[in-house]
Amino acid sequence: MSVVRKLSGAGAAVLLVATAVGCTASARPGEPVKSAGAPEVRTDASRLATCVELPGKPERVRWRVRPLGIVDGRAPGPTDHQLEGVVWLVDGEAARLSAGGSWEPEPYGASVPGELSPALSKADGWTRNTALEDEAAEGAPHFLLNQGANALYVWALNPQCRS
C-alpha cells in the first residue's frame, strides 16, 4: 500500500472524528450545548392578543411559540417560529362566529398538539373561514373553529407580536 493511500485513510478517520465532535460541540467555546426542550405553554390571553387578533372573546387559552427546523445557533440565517394555540370561547361565541361567516368543513381536521389540549387533538368537526385569513401578510393567523367544543385552533408562522 502506498504512503499516500495510508495518509488518505488516516486523514479520513481524523475528518470523521472531527466532524462527530463538531456536531456535539457548542457554537461558542466554553458554552454548554443547549437542548431544544419543549416550548413553554402559556395561558395569558392578553399576551396572545398582542400576537393574533382573535375573532371571538376568549374564556381561556393555551398557546405556545416553537422554533421550526434546527435550532442550534450555528446555522446562518433566521429561525422560523410557529405560534399555535387553542382558544376556548365564552358561551355563545362559537355560534356567533359560525353564523357570521362562510365556515367550510376542514377536510384534514386540526393538528392540535396534545400539550395544548389532549381532548381536542382527537376532535372532529373543525371548520375554516378563509375570509379571516390574510395569506399575503407574514405572520397572518389561521383559524379553525370547533363549534361543538366552543373552541378555536389558531396558528401563525413568524407572528408579529406587539410589545
Side-chain angles (χ1 to χ4, degrees), residues 116-133:
L116 298 178
S117 175
L120 289 179
S121 68
K122 296 172 181 65
D124 292 328
W126 294 97
T127 58
R128 186 175 197 163
N129 182 348
T130 56
L132 293 175
E133 302 175 4

Side-chain angles (χ1 to χ4, degrees), residues 73 113 128 152 157 159:
R128 186 175 197 163
L152 281 171
L157 181 63

Side-chain angles (χ1 to χ4, degrees), residues 34-158:
K34 296 177 184 173
S35 71
E40 173 189 3
V41 174
R42 300 174 180 209
T43 57
D44 49 341
S46 59
R47 178 69 179 131
L48 177 60
T50 67
C51 300
V52 174
E53 185 176 339
L54 298 172
K57 294 179 185 176
E59 179 178 282
R60 64 188 173 98
V61 299
R62 287 184 54 83
W63 63 284
R64 67 184 181 183
V65 176
R66 65 185 178 95
L68 300 176
I70 300 171
V71 183
D72 68 358
R74 293 180 287 172
T79 298
D80 288 329
H81 290 84
Q82 181 175 12
L83 179 147
E84 51 194 350
V86 175
V87 179
W88 287 270
L89 302 165
V90 296
D91 285 341
E93 277 296 285
R96 182 190 68 77
L97 282 173
S98 120
S102 177
W103 293 86
E104 299 293 327
E106 178 63 22
Y108 303 107
S111 298
V112 177
E115 299 86 2
L116 298 178
S117 175
L120 289 179
S121 68
K122 296 172 181 65
D124 292 328
W126 294 97
T127 58
R128 186 175 197 163
N129 182 348
T130 56
L132 293 175
E133 302 175 4
D134 182 1
E135 294 290 338
E138 182 176 1
H142 304 274
F143 300 99
L144 295 180
L145 175 67
N146 189 309
Q147 191 172 352
N150 200 37
L152 281 171
Y153 174 56
V154 58
W155 72 98
L157 181 63
N158 296 325

